[in-house]
Amino acid sequence: MQEIAPDDTGSPPVFGAQARATFAANYPETPHLLRHGLGRNVLLELDSLAVLAGKLPPSSIEYNRGDLPIGVDGKPGSNGLSIEDTIRHIASSNSWAVLKNIEQVPEYEALLLDLLGELRGEIERKTGAMLRPQGFIFISSPNAVTPYHFDPEHNILLQLVGSKAMTQFPAGDSRFAPDEVHETYHSGGARELTWHDSFAQHGREFALGPGDGLFVPVMTPHFVRNGPESSISLSITWRSDWSFAEADARGFNRVLRRFGLAPAPPARWPAGNTAKAFGYRALRKLRLVR
């Protein structure tokens, strides 16, 4: 697993002292806003992002219509455009797009590692080494909706252009993301979740504009509504030994469920979920599970 080296570039920090203090006080389980100073960067302008999309493999590109409900069954429909045209004309293409694993391209990998390197000390004091750094860029049309789902990484979403609102729901609460869905996801299933209107009263909405960052804990159910202008956001993400143990414990629970058992879900941090995680890894080593 790739670890992140300390930042030694000497550049002015993107995360100031107050942002780092806020992050340190809340990481890894409490959603919170923090300010960033990333500002204008040619790598994150629309023409550059269209070029980036052409360099990424098809598996690292997802884009769909923007006029979607909060909850969708299966993958949303196509917008009928190429990814390059979708990005260059995002103001009018009625779409949302995500460029995944931007670290596959060297200049974007350098940007990602510089950003994460600034928070390395705060992260490692809580969850150990930063592992598997990954970056995701979101380009959204006015009023586009990213449907209800969860993600397996520790994540800070940096708003760069335009505005949006993310509504988060309590991580680890099976009311909002059933344990069976978690288990299926960690065995290769989808991450989309079933939405019920009754959930709305339990969500916490975070409004984001340029210069705002939002921390999203591991496996936090959420959806996003874009503002009245097109938007560009960058997610900087990483994994930890704890997040991998949580995932493997979910996999072990899926095995137990096949035998008619009703296993308890993994505990949230700082619990280690060690026994189930080691059990699943042993099964995987023996090639008895995926």
Side-chain angles (χ1 to χ4, degrees), residues 11 16 33 49 56 68-69 95 117 120 123 142 186 193 213 253 258 264 275:
S11 301
L33 289 166
L49 296 177
L56 293 172
L68 297 171
S95 305
R120 181 175 184 262
I123 289 169
H186 288 302
L193 296 167
N253 277 357
R258 290 175 182 169

Side-chain angles (χ1 to χ4, degrees), residues 3 9 35 38 40 54 64 67 74 76 90 123 131-132 144 149 174 177-178 196 210 228 231 234 236 246 256 285:
E3 294 189 18
T9 63
R35 294 291 293 173
L38 183 54
R40 184 181 176 87
N64 300 284
D67 54 344
I90 196 64
I123 289 169
L131 306 172
R132 197 176 290 179
H149 68 286
S174 61
H196 299 284
S231 166
L234 168 64
I236 57 173
E246 192 271 351
L256 296 178
K285 188 172 182 180

